Amino acid sequence: LAVVVAMLVQRRRGTSAAPRRVVAGVAVILGLALALVLPDYRLLAWVAYLERRWEDADAHSRESLRVAREIGMKQQIVEELFCLAGVAATSGDVARAARLASAAELHHSLLEPQPTLSDAGFHHASIESANAACDPETWERASAEGRAMSLDAAAEYALSLA
């Protein structure tokens, strides 16, 4: 299907609106096909998070982040940053939690509001507990580093093992 879409996109340049509608229709069909075939790692990540299966939440969230990053879904990237911040907080990596949470908060504020799973705030308690357990200077330094990250840099950091 991807090849067909690419071919149609090439053909539609300089043509009437009818081929463009065909391209749009094929793109929608391709999107629906992918949605039916690929697991929703985003949902799997939050379910694992709520069940306190931190390794699974981390793995699913990273996979969702990889896919979101590849196709440019900024809202989903931010959502996964929040999830991974919560996972980092529960595992005791306070600086990582602060960086990811601050980056996610910044980029969330820059996007058009859309309801997401992270809006439910499942990760807030973990991050707040990590903040309370950390000395304020360390938390603020790590938060400032997170706020200084571009969305792509934050995603790259989230996907790293550091």
Side-chain angles (χ1 to χ4, degrees):
L1 282 176
V3 173
V4 171
V5 170
M7 288 172 46
L8 289 172
V9 167
Q10 289 298 322
R11 288 178 134 185
R12 83 167 169 88
R13 293 187 180 138
T15 61
S16 69
R20 285 189 293 248
R21 284 193 300 273
V22 170
V23 170
V26 171
V28 168
I29 291 168
L30 178 60
L32 291 173
L34 287 174
L36 293 173
V37 173
L38 295 175
D40 189 349
Y41 291 106
R42 175 183 46 177
L43 182 58
L44 292 172
W46 285 109
V47 168
Y49 191 95
L50 289 172
E51 293 177 349
R52 307 175 68 82
R53 293 183 292 116
W54 308 124
E55 288 180 19
D56 289 341
D58 183 75
H60 293 313
S61 189
R62 284 172 186 269
E63 188 57 33
S64 180
L65 178 57
R66 279 186 202 91
V67 171
R69 189 174 177 206
E70 188 173 313
I71 60 178
M73 295 181 65
K74 292 179 181 181
Q75 195 74 41
Q76 189 170 339
I77 292 170
V78 169
E79 185 173 340
E80 299 315 326
L81 293 177
F82 277 126
C83 187
L84 290 166
V87 171
T90 62
S91 68
D93 194 343
V94 177
R96 185 174 178 82
R99 283 184 200 99
L100 291 174
S102 294
E105 288 167 4
L106 170 70
H107 292 288
H108 180 73
S109 73
L110 299 174
L111 295 173
E112 183 178 322
Q114 296 177 8
T116 65
L117 291 169
S118 63
D119 291 338
F122 303 129
H123 58 288
H124 288 303
S126 301
I127 294 169
E128 289 170 8
S129 293
N131 185 355
C134 181
D135 73 273
E137 186 177 306
T138 300
W139 185 269
E140 186 49 44
R141 187 178 330 110
S143 292
E145 291 169 4
R147 287 189 298 273
M149 292 180 182
S150 67
L151 186 58
D152 192 56
E156 189 171 320
Y157 174 70
L159 291 170
S160 73
L161 298 177

